[in-house]
Amino acid sequence: MSENPLTESTLLHTPLFDRHVALGGKIVPFAGYAMPVQYPTGALKEYHATRNDGCAGLFDISHMGQVRVQGADALRFLQFVTTNDVARLIDGQVQYSALLNRAGTFIDDITTYRIHADHYYLCINAANRAKDVAHLTEQAADFDIFITDESDGTTLLALQGEAAERLLQALTPTDLTAIDYYHFVQCPLSNANTTAIISRTGYTGEDGFELYLANGAATTVWDALLEAGASPIGLAARDLLRAEMGYALYGHEISDAVTPVEAKLMWITNMNKGNFIGRSAVVTRKSSGREKALIALKLTARGIPRQHYPVLVDGQLSGEITSGLYSPLTKGGVALAYVAPNHANDGAITVEIRGKQVAAERTTTPFVRSRVKKPQQ
Amino acid sequence: MSIPQNLRYTKEHEWARIEDSVATSGLSDHAQEALGDVVFVELPEVGAQVKAGAPFAVVESVKAVSDIYAPVSGEVLAVNEALEEHPELVNSDCYGQGWIARIRIEGDTVELLDPVAYATFLEE
């Protein structure tokens, strides 16, 4: 076997870095940070420690960025720079959204938290942070708002799994059962003498929460949740859990090479709310037709599809895998892929793995059941 | 880290047990630990000719795809088909039920380290 040596010289540390090392985490570079890819139990056990009943996984995702937007024009500004309809949010609600450039392609995908009508909180991808903040700052010139990049002072934890609510409830007097999916509260955490934003959100398809804390409270809350029975989860299991739900990831399904039309993200792109950056390009793309189609597929023979593997339809090269994995629940290879638009629904699919054609068929996402707590419609 | 005394090792972290001109091969404990959870093994065909030092099988962990290099040149006599259903044997029993292939030695081998030399190599 061959190994790639890793360098850690210039990597940033989250406030929990020493905890990851003490737990025996295997540290790798990720988006400029030194992060645990897995702990000694291994990625598959971590995966099951998030999916199984009675379990909850604890993730340090402090590498992600947070930006506060405040001021009289905050709503008007966010309507202009994000794709989703921010006017639909009420206080304490979260929205999945995106930042587009003028070409209509993605700068980033984000979540928007409405704290008050003139006060919002954005969670952004670590790898895009500098680009996002520069873009937001540039666009802010004509608006009565101020923008604060709070990323360096903020710890972000995710607690995901069937037991998440029970474990977290021991740390706060706030009734967590009252927080609906994609809603949040700002509440005290009793053991850390701090206030946190706690949202019922996540990236695993399980019920659970994301906690935004001041860095000073990070180790106290981390230790308390592990003590309560949560399992630490590294990046490898996080990506399995993410991809098995078919959730998009920047750099895979989403990038500055595709618009929401290709990425199947028109559901977070509101064309009726008024003008926003990238809107006219999206209108054009909608009328001219998508350049490629994002599809979900599963292998019908043995093998694991991986990012960038060629996808063939009726023997002709049609596109490539964007995210692929061995799905522990379906016990097979599943993937998202971009293919030519005329192959979205028709034609026999194969994935080329090390020069061989492996049969696949179209399917739908999520690849496995979702257990997020969506309110009754 | 387990390094059984009766085996020889390559610098690519395969092991070989040589008996009567047949080499049984698999991944060392160091290799399986570095890989993490193995979820797929692509085995060579029985009867295939493999070349010492050239890739002859593939193991995939959750995150990574890694070639396995043949420790010797020769014909593949047998492969461990149990790995198709249970690739995790590479992790749980790398020197036993996690073996990968048996090769009839015909010609050269790569440099094979004895357990002491392999342990020293790992420390370096």
Side-chain angles (χ1 to χ4, degrees):
Chain A
M1 59 168 285
S2 47
E3 292 168 81
N4 294 319
L6 302 168
T7 55
E8 294 174 26
S9 50
T10 58
L11 297 174
L12 301 170
H13 290 182
T14 78
L16 295 164
F17 177 79
D18 290 346
R19 290 295 194 273
H20 302 317
V21 172
L23 286 164
K26 182 176 172 185
I27 306 296
V28 301
F30 186 77
Y33 283 79
M35 298 297 287
V37 66
Q38 61 172 45
Y39 298 93
T41 50
L44 284 181
K45 284 204 171 65
E46 293 168 25
Y47 164 92
H48 290 295
T50 307
R51 283 270 186 264
N52 289 353
D53 283 349
C55 294
L58 181 61
F59 307 68
D60 176 16
I61 48 174
S62 304
H63 55 291
M64 296 190 75
Q66 292 79 32
V67 174
R68 205 176 286 274
V69 178
Q70 291 169 269
D73 285 341
L75 173 62
R76 196 166 65 86
F77 173 71
L78 290 173
Q79 288 288 54
F80 183 60
V81 297
T82 72
T83 55
N84 214 332
D85 185 3
V86 187
R88 288 188 176 185
L89 287 176
I90 60 170
D91 289 356
Q93 192 175 8
V94 191
Q95 183 179 67
Y96 184 45
S97 190
L99 307 176
L100 302 184
N101 56 37
R102 295 199 183 282
T105 64
F106 290 92
I107 297 171
D108 203 359
D109 63 329
I110 67 168
T111 46
T112 304
Y113 288 63
R114 174 170 149 157
I115 292 172
H116 298 301
D118 58 358
H119 184 177
Y120 298 81
Y121 191 67
L122 310 180
C123 185
I124 62 179
N125 278 304
N128 294 330
R129 174 182 158 195
K131 179 178 71 168
D132 291 359
V133 172
H135 172 73
L136 293 171
T137 304
E138 184 188 337
Q139 297 303 326
D142 298 334
F143 296 87
D144 179 14
I145 56 162
F146 57 100
I147 292 173
T148 322
D149 179 357
E150 298 189 356
S151 309
D152 290 336
T154 305
T155 291
L156 177 54
L157 303 180
L159 182 68
Q160 302 279 298
E162 193 267 341
E165 185 179 273
R166 178 170 58 79
L167 300 190
L168 185 58
Q169 190 64 76
L171 270 61
T172 179
T174 302
D175 178 13
L176 297 177
T177 64
I179 307 175
D180 285 332
Y181 188 58
Y182 267 69
H183 285 73
F184 70 96
V185 296
Q186 297 189 85
C187 68
L189 285 175
S190 44
N191 70 330
N193 194 24
T194 191
T195 297
I197 290 177
I198 297 179
S199 56
R200 195 181 286 268
T201 50
Y203 207 35
T204 64
E206 300 297 324
D207 184 32
F209 299 90
E210 291 175 310
L211 292 73
Y212 300 79
L213 314 163
N215 283 346
T219 54
T220 307
V221 174
W222 173 267
D223 292 348
L225 289 169
L226 291 187
E227 177 71 21
S231 303
I233 311 294
L235 294 173
R238 176 172 163 81
D239 196 54
L240 275 188
L241 293 157
R242 181 282 296 185
E244 202 174 38
M245 297 309 298
Y247 293 156
L249 174 61
Y250 198 91
H252 292 249
E253 292 71 36
I254 305 174
S255 72
D256 62 5
V258 297
T259 75
V261 181
E262 284 80 23
K264 282 193 172 171
L265 286 175
M266 287 308 293
W267 66 276
I268 63 165
T269 307
N270 189 305
M271 306 302 284
N272 303 316
K273 69 171 182 171
N275 192 32
F276 59 91
I277 298 175
R279 184 182 184 281
S280 61
V282 171
V283 169
T284 303
R285 186 64 58 89
K286 274 182 65 141
S287 64
S288 64
R290 56 187 169 175
E291 290 189 347
K292 47 191 179 179
L294 185 64
I295 62 167
L297 56 87
K298 62 179 176 187
L299 300 192
T300 52
R302 295 177 64 244
I304 304 177
R306 305 271 183 182
Q307 188 182 19
H308 301 311
Y309 282 6
V311 176
L312 284 76
V313 177
D314 295 332
Q316 298 295 311
L317 182 65
S318 182
E320 67 172 32
I321 302 290
T322 53
S323 294
L325 71 152
Y326 169 78
S327 159
L329 276 197
T330 68
K331 300 192 187 302
V334 299
L336 299 171
Y338 276 116
V339 295
N342 58 320
H343 293 151
N345 302 306
D346 299 305
I349 296 186
T350 57
V351 178
E352 186 173 308
I353 302 180
R354 293 181 286 278
K356 293 176 199 155
Q357 299 303 319
V358 179
E361 61 187 29
R362 291 171 189 79
T363 184
T364 54
T365 59
F367 297 106
V368 300
R369 83 286 185 276
S370 168
R371 300 207 293 188
V372 301
K373 284 205 175 155
K374 288 193 176 163
Q376 302 289 321
Q377 296 294 318
Chain B
M1 190 68 60
S2 163
I3 305 177
Q5 289 299 311
N6 60 330
L7 304 179
R8 294 295 177 268
Y9 301 87
T10 73
K11 290 184 174 177
E12 300 286 354
H13 307 291
E14 290 86 23
W15 57 264
R17 184 175 63 239
I18 297 172
E19 298 163 316
D20 301 331
S21 300
V22 173
T24 304
S25 183
L27 284 178
S28 76
D29 194 26
H30 170 84
Q32 70 80 18
E33 173 119 8
L35 279 170
D37 292 319
V38 172
V39 292
F40 183 81
V41 181
E42 186 174 292
L43 298 164
E45 305 261 329
V46 172
Q49 290 289 327
V50 300
K51 192 168 159 23
F56 83 122
V58 176
V59 289
E60 300 199 31
S61 65
V62 169
K63 285 299 272 185
V65 181
S66 303
D67 285 327
I68 308 177
Y69 301 96
V72 302
S73 293
E75 180 188 348
V76 176
L77 297 178
V79 296
N80 184 3
E81 287 172 2
L83 298 180
E84 295 193 348
E85 284 301 305
H86 296 286
E88 70 278 6
L89 291 170
V90 172
N91 295 116
S92 62
D93 190 11
C94 64
Y95 298 117
Q97 293 183 72
W99 68 279
I100 289 169
R102 285 202 180 88
I103 304 165
R104 180 189 292 128
I105 305 170
E106 298 163 351
D108 50 342
T109 69
V110 299
E111 181 187 1
L112 293 172
L113 306 176
D114 65 31
V116 173
Y118 182 58
T120 306
F121 174 70
L122 286 181
E123 281 166 20
E124 288 164 3

